[in-house]
Amino acid sequence: MTDPYDGGLPCELSEEVAQLMMDPALSPEVFGALVAAMVSISETAGMISGSTASARRPQQRRLPLGEEGALGLAEYVIVPDADPPHILMTHVLLY
């Protein structure tokens, strides 16, 4: 059987981020930026261009949302040693 992620990792959402994604007041622009971020994060196993890492915790990363980060910031953690390995989007800060 082939790996469905082909070198990537599944991107899961924290309860907080899941609630944000289900909020009917969330703008389509922000929703689209979050979905695009999740796809990119998953496809690159979290090593997406433009993301920054914590100096003390390199598995903890931040990614600007929207053009030049105009919409906000997504924070996620790469969890390669979990069973199964995955990425958890932990927090979204909207501007």
Side-chain angles (χ1 to χ4, degrees):
M1 186 170 163
T2 60
D3 178 9
Y5 296 102
D6 195 24
L9 292 173
C11 184
E12 300 175 8
L13 304 177
S14 69
E15 183 64 31
E16 175 185 339
V17 176
Q19 290 297 319
L20 174 67
M21 294 290 292
M22 292 187 294
D23 184 348
L26 186 67
S27 76
E29 183 180 24
V30 172
F31 184 85
L34 285 168
V35 170
M38 291 178 347
V39 169
S40 295
I41 289 167
S42 179
E43 288 177 344
T44 62
M47 304 308 283
I48 185 170
S49 177
S51 68
T52 58
S54 167
R56 293 185 308 171
R57 296 179 184 90
Q59 72 278 14
Q60 183 178 358
R61 304 187 68 85
R62 290 165 210 86
L63 178 67
L65 295 172
E67 191 172 326
E68 297 184 19
L71 298 176
L73 186 70
E75 296 179 346
Y76 61 95
V77 176
I78 303 168
V79 192
D81 298 330
D83 186 24
H86 63 280
I87 297 167
L88 180 64
M89 188 176 288
T90 57
H91 184 73
V92 174
L93 173 64
L94 298 176
Y95 301 141

